[in-house]
Amino acid sequence: MNILYHLGSYYLLMARVFSRPEKGWVFRRQVFSEIDKLGIGSLGIVAIISVFMGAVITIQAAFGFESPWVPVYAVGVTTRDSMILEFSPAIVSLILAGKVGSNIASEIGTMKVSEQVDALEIMGVNSASFLILPKIVALVFINPFLIVISMFLGILGGYFLGVAMGVVTPQEYMYGIQYEFRPYNVMYALVKTCVFAFIIASVASYHGYRTNGGALEVGQSSTKAVVYSSIVILIFNLIITQILLA
């Protein structure tokens, strides 16, 4: 029953969020501000994690393929497919759920407990649409760019560190990342990315918007936002994979 209650409350909040924005120019300004804060501000951590994860995947693949029947270029194939199919869209989204989701929940939660949300409602502003819709639009727009950058940097990190450690040659790695490349895999990853971005922004906003009390409750809402958005991402990762790849 508790799950049904939260699903109903989430649906009602989203119905308010996707009503028409108050003013077009205000909405556009907020979207660009959120893109800078939530998307561009996450570029550094996405880049660092992607480079080192690509290198680790390359080294693990090289040590795992000990059979002489497995060609060395399979290391490049493994790194490419691991980054595109799972690591960049799913693992990076889980990391962003922690960083961006907690940021969104704590921001909206603080506004709620300090009665800034109530002040917007008194002025006749749809606070749900005013505060949440720009975050959803910004994250769904910018996250695919972050994931494409993550794919590129992960494969590049695998190349430089794999070659530097002598587990693969440049020629074999380059041949591997081009071997039987399927553009559909990138489309599959970007579809997952957009769905995960919506989940991160909307679930975190839901928990922030329901905050009541003080600073302690804001922290609890932030924690709930990270936990529940991560669980929902994992569930939808399975569903989308079953639909698009099965």
Side-chain angles (χ1 to χ4, degrees):
M1 292 299 291
N2 199 35
I3 294 176
L4 293 178
Y5 168 77
H6 283 289
L7 286 175
S9 298
Y10 174 82
Y11 172 79
L12 292 175
L13 179 63
M14 289 301 109
R16 289 188 62 201
V17 167
F18 285 97
S19 59
R20 186 177 178 180
E22 295 294 329
K23 294 180 181 178
W25 67 271
V26 175
F27 175 72
R28 286 192 295 273
R29 187 182 64 182
Q30 286 180 297
V31 168
F32 284 117
S33 173
E34 299 294 347
I35 287 174
D36 180 56
K37 184 171 61 178
L38 302 177
I40 307 301
S42 303
L43 187 57
I45 188 169
V46 169
I48 293 171
I49 292 173
S50 300
V51 168
F52 284 97
M53 189 55 67
V56 169
I57 292 171
T58 300
I59 295 169
Q60 286 180 342
F63 282 99
F65 297 153
E66 294 180 345
S67 171
W69 299 102
V70 179
V72 179
Y73 69 79
V75 173
V77 176
T78 302
T79 303
R80 180 199 67 197
D81 288 346
S82 298
M83 292 300 301
I84 293 176
L85 290 174
E86 193 61 23
F87 176 78
S88 291
I91 306 302
V92 170
S93 292
L94 288 172
I95 293 168
L96 291 177
K99 180 183 182 298
V100 175
S102 61
N103 181 291
I104 292 173
S106 59
E107 178 187 331
I108 297 177
T110 302
M111 294 183 69
K112 190 77 189 298
V113 299
S114 61
E115 299 182 349
Q116 294 179 60
V117 174
D118 294 336
L120 288 173
E121 294 289 344
I122 290 171
M123 290 188 292
V125 176
N126 181 351
S127 61
S129 178
F130 183 78
L131 295 174
I132 299 173
L133 186 57
K135 299 182 189 303
I136 293 176
V137 172
L139 216 55
V140 171
F141 173 77
I142 195 64
N143 265 25
F145 292 98
L146 289 179
I147 297 308
V148 169
I149 292 171
S150 169
M151 294 174 187
F152 176 76
L153 291 178
I155 295 172
L156 198 64
Y159 173 80
F160 281 115
L161 294 177
V163 171
M165 295 185 179
V167 299
V168 65
T169 65
Q171 294 77 17
E172 289 164 338
Y173 189 87
M174 292 302 295
Y175 180 74
I177 63 174
Q178 298 173 63
Y179 181 76
E180 292 189 353
F181 173 71
R182 296 177 63 196
Y184 177 77
N185 290 350
V186 178
M187 293 303 300
Y188 156 77
L190 294 180
V191 169
K192 286 207 303 186
T193 299
C194 292
V195 174
F196 295 163
F198 178 81
I199 291 170
I200 293 170
S202 62
V203 172
S205 298
Y206 170 73
H207 286 286
Y209 202 79
R210 286 177 51 84
T211 305
N212 288 302
L216 180 62
E217 283 72 18
V218 172
Q220 291 173 345
S221 296
S222 180
T223 303
K224 287 180 183 176
V226 175
V227 172
Y228 286 108
S229 59
S230 298
I231 292 172
V232 176
I233 284 173
L234 292 174
I235 293 171
F236 273 83
N237 189 28
L238 177 63
I239 294 171
I240 296 171
T241 301
Q242 177 67 23
I243 293 173
L244 297 183
L245 294 186

